[in-house]
Amino acid sequence: GECFVLDDGSEVDLDLGNYERYLDITLSRVHSITTGRVFRTVIDNERRGDYLGSTVQIIPHVTDEIQAMIEEAARAPVSAEEDEGDNDVCIVELGGTIGDIESMQFVEALRQFQFRVGPSNFALIHVSLVPDIHGEKKTKPTQHSVQDLRGLGLMPDLIACRCSSPIELPVRKKISNFCHVGPDQVLAVHDVASIYHVPLLLKEQGIVKYLMQRLRLDEPVGKRGAENVSRGSQIERRWKEMTITHDRLFDKVTIVLVGKYVSLRDSYTSVVKALEHASFRCEQKLLLEWVDSSHLEHTCQLENPKEYHGAWQKVCSANGVIVPGGFGSRGTEGMMLAAKWAREKGVPFLGICLGFQCAVIEWARNVMGIKGATSTEFDADTKNPVVIFMPEISRTHLGGTQRLGLRPTIFTPESEDWSIVNKLYGSPSTSTIWERHRHRYEVNPTMVDSIQKSGLTFTGRDERGERMQIFEVRNHPFFVGLQSHPELCTRPLNPSPPYLGFVAAASGCLSAQMERQKSYVPPQPQ
């Protein structure tokens, strides 16, 4: 699936992106606890002599380190308004399936942790599948998983039953009887019209009330607690308005996503969420079409005409074209063809990371007339490198060596009067924005002046003015590219500005949204 990037440059599981979006928080590397990180820390501790020569074992050394990391994550601030230790609750997700060898040390660590912090500071929610077979819900998988969990020393306080339809009362009672929980402790997480209904569904079933009693959160503590209660009430009201409004929408906007990894759609989780959030704000139902970029290339026309014509039909019938990030040369010619079509036909276009680079290359080839213009990522020996490898990046080590994390982009003074992207970020009050990056290649600095003279304007650059990070075409409804990944900072109630502008342009309401964006407040701490 997707590799999610945090502000501090950590590359983590896409689940952390879900938590950031839903809870409107900003996480850091301490919130990602992996087996590799735990083992590395334990080995470093032993080499330093912390264990005084003792044999390193899973218990107590590994399990103690896991517990220490959980406590560190629980104390870490997750917003600009908070200091260390201000958090009321820390949600810990233990992935995998009970019985997996990969998670056994984490299960044992949590077994010990419940006694370390006390019963009023520990609540366990067990998520279990309740399959529906010919209309009958089967509870045996849940019974056996809870039995295995109890055998490992953990007793669930709540059982969240993932199912296709609501669970009837007799099924709840059966799970209650065989799993040693009350009927009110069995939650039905059934399919709903939109994933954004799930928090409201859980609240209706009493999860908030139960956890407030279980963790003794009934009364807010001090001024900070009262502020949190007030803020939570406001978020709940706005969330309800968002879901109700979305369910009643009739207008539709069709966006085509031209990418390399469309066969594994989790690769674009944040891109899809950013488009959804933008469509909510524009009051449009999002119809997302998926196109493999290689199917747009001329070789596909010869080898598989059906796929070729089907792909181009989706591109030509869409209200907007988005080309997201990726690595390697496969499918990039198709990305350039999609960018060319959007540019020439006046269709809203958004290029992200690799899509940004492909659009610049396409411009160099077809507007500037530079034959063979390409990226050194695609052809290391090219005579016309429009995109080059960044000099500070390692060529021998791939892991964690890219340009990662939150980086500033400064809008050029000459573009402030007309830049659509600048206005979407709240111009004129904003001349510097911060977005997350993940790339090894950049636009060739020696070609910037000639590219700009031909009509493609780089409206946003890095703090030194040397690295191109945003481009726009002035006389186009919306032709924008960003080297960053703004989708990583989108929120349901606060959509990413470039994605909002893109969807608004495709929906015909760009001017209204730019006016509304004057009060835009970025989600990440400044």
Side-chain angles (χ1 to χ4, degrees):
E2 176 185 66
C3 177
F4 194 79
V5 179
L6 302 178
D7 278 1
D8 59 10
S10 301
E11 296 173 292
V12 297
D13 190 272
L14 61 84
D15 284 344
L16 274 78
N18 289 327
Y19 287 119
E20 282 202 339
R21 285 187 288 268
Y22 265 85
L23 301 176
D24 192 14
I25 56 177
T26 301
L27 303 177
S28 63
R29 66 178 69 248
V30 302
H31 295 100
S32 178
I33 305 175
T34 63
T35 301
R37 182 183 163 210
V38 172
F39 284 178
R40 181 173 183 172
T41 302
V42 169
I43 291 172
D44 289 344
N45 291 345
E46 192 277 332
R47 293 290 87 184
R48 197 169 49 242
D50 292 358
Y51 304 141
L52 301 177
S54 299
T55 301
V56 177
Q57 297 176 294
I58 296 296
I59 303 172
H61 302 107
V62 171
T63 54
D64 283 355
E65 188 58 41
I66 292 172
Q67 294 176 70
M69 288 182 174
I70 291 174
E71 291 188 326
E72 180 187 19
R75 291 192 300 267
V78 292
S79 72
E81 296 80 19
E82 292 182 353
D83 297 320
E84 185 171 330
D86 277 354
N87 302 319
D88 296 314
V89 175
C90 177
I91 300 173
V92 181
E93 176 188 343
L94 175 56
T97 303
I98 291 300
D100 285 351
I101 192 171
E102 292 91 346
S103 61
M104 293 305 292
Q105 63 266 27
F106 291 95
V107 173
E108 173 59 23
L110 289 176
R111 185 196 69 78
Q112 299 174 22
F113 193 68
Q114 63 184 331
F115 301 111
R116 182 170 176 172
V117 298
S120 63
N121 291 308
F122 185 90
L124 179 63
I125 303 175
H126 179 57
V127 182
S128 177
L129 176 66
V130 178
D132 191 314
I133 301 177
H134 303 299
E136 181 183 359
K137 292 183 173 60
K138 297 295 184 179
T139 64
K140 284 296 181 184
T142 300
Q143 295 178 37
H144 284 291
S145 64
V146 171
Q147 181 179 356
D148 290 345
L149 189 64
R150 292 173 64 185
L152 296 171
L154 288 172
M155 182 78 69
D157 296 289
L158 292 169
I159 299 177
C161 300
R162 185 68 184 92
C163 47
S164 57
S165 59
I167 292 181
E168 300 82 4
L169 183 59
V171 178
R172 284 177 183 261
K173 288 184 176 179
K174 186 175 182 180
I175 293 174
S176 169
N177 289 334
F178 284 95
C179 297
H180 197 63
V181 294
D184 60 327
Q185 295 169 262
V186 180
L187 308 175
V189 191
H190 55 78
D191 293 350
V192 287
S194 164
I195 194 172
Y196 302 99
H197 284 282
V198 174
L200 304 177
L201 173 68
L202 293 174
K203 186 175 187 297
E204 289 174 0
Q205 297 182 64
I207 188 172
V208 175
K209 181 180 178 181
Y210 177 86
L211 290 177
M212 288 183 69
Q213 295 174 348
R214 180 72 173 79
L215 301 176
R216 299 180 183 176
L217 300 172
D218 303 74
E219 298 182 5
V221 180
K223 180 181 177 181
R224 182 67 186 167
E227 290 176 353
N228 283 340
V229 171
S230 176
R231 179 171 174 266
S233 299
Q234 293 176 10
I235 292 175
E236 181 184 7
R237 175 181 56 79
R238 293 179 61 199
W239 196 280
K240 285 182 178 178
E241 290 175 355
M242 178 187 72
T243 54
I244 292 172
T245 301
H246 182 257
D247 289 342
R248 296 174 178 173
L249 294 177
F250 293 99
D251 295 332
K252 299 176 182 178
V253 58
T254 303
I255 302 297
V256 61
L257 187 152
V258 180
K260 300 179 61 171
Y261 318 118
V262 295
S263 59
L264 182 61
R265 296 184 179 182
D266 273 357
S267 302
Y268 302 112
T269 296
S270 292
V271 172
V272 174
K273 296 304 177 185
L275 292 171
E276 287 180 355
H277 302 164
S279 67
F280 290 165
R281 176 68 64 84
C282 296
E283 298 185 351
Q284 301 280 322
K285 276 193 177 295
L286 176 67
L287 298 181
L288 186 59
E289 298 285 356
W290 299 80
V291 169
D292 189 317
S293 57
S294 62
H295 291 167
L296 299 175
E297 298 173 358
H298 298 303
T299 53
C300 183
Q301 183 179 14
L302 301 174
E303 298 171 359
N304 196 334
K306 183 179 179 180
E307 292 283 7
Y308 175 82
H309 291 293
W312 272 109
Q313 183 181 17
K314 290 180 180 179
V315 172
C316 296
S317 59
N319 302 118
V321 178
I322 181 170
V323 179
F327 297 91
S329 61
R330 182 186 63 82
T332 52
E333 292 296 326
M335 293 179 173
M336 295 178 206
L337 290 169
K340 181 176 183 289
W341 188 89
R343 176 179 58 80
E344 294 178 342
K345 301 299 181 181
V347 174
F349 171 85
L350 181 61
I352 301 296
C353 197
L354 181 61
F356 164 89
Q357 296 169 6
C358 285
V360 175
I361 295 170
E362 185 278 322
W363 182 278
R365 289 180 182 180
N366 300 308
V367 177
M368 301 174 65
I370 304 175
K371 294 183 179 180
T374 189
S375 167
T376 55
E377 182 179 10
F378 313 150
D379 181 3
D381 300 320
T382 178
K383 296 179 180 179
N384 294 300
V386 177
V387 175
I388 62 172
F389 196 86
M390 291 187 291
E392 72 271 26
I393 303 299
S394 172
R395 292 182 178 272
T396 57
H397 292 72
L398 297 180
T401 59
Q402 299 181 78
R403 185 169 181 253
L404 295 165
L406 200 66
R407 307 274 179 163
T409 296
I410 301 172
F411 288 101
T412 57
E414 56 269 21
S415 68
E416 288 182 357
D417 293 337
W418 65 269
S419 170
I420 294 175
V421 179
N422 198 352
K423 289 180 171 60
L424 289 168
Y425 277 97
S427 174
S429 61
T430 303
S431 61
T432 302
I433 61 172
W434 294 79
E435 293 288 2
R436 296 173 183 176
H437 290 247
R438 184 174 184 255
H439 62 106
R440 291 189 181 91
Y441 292 82
E442 64 173 333
V443 174
N444 191 341
T446 63
M447 296 192 66
V448 170
D449 290 340
S450 59
I451 292 174
Q452 292 215 123
K453 288 177 182 178
S454 66
L456 186 72
T457 306
F458 293 104
T459 55
R461 308 187 179 198
D462 72 347
E463 62 272 29
R464 295 182 297 178
E466 299 172 355
R467 187 157 284 153
M468 304 303 109
Q469 301 193 157
I470 300 175
F471 75 68
E472 298 179 63
V473 175
R474 190 164 187 172
N475 297 317
H476 192 285
F478 191 92
F479 196 84
V480 171
L482 294 95
Q483 183 63 77
S484 61
H485 288 270
E487 67 273 10
L488 300 179
C489 293
T490 186
R491 301 287 188 269
L493 300 175
N494 191 17
S496 167
Y499 282 85
L500 175 61
F502 169 62
V503 174
S507 307
C509 60
L510 179 57
S511 298
Q513 293 301 330
M514 285 196 295
E515 183 67 25
R516 186 173 180 179
Q517 284 294 101
K518 289 181 178 179
S519 58
Y520 171 73
V521 177
Q524 65 269 33
Q526 297 298 294

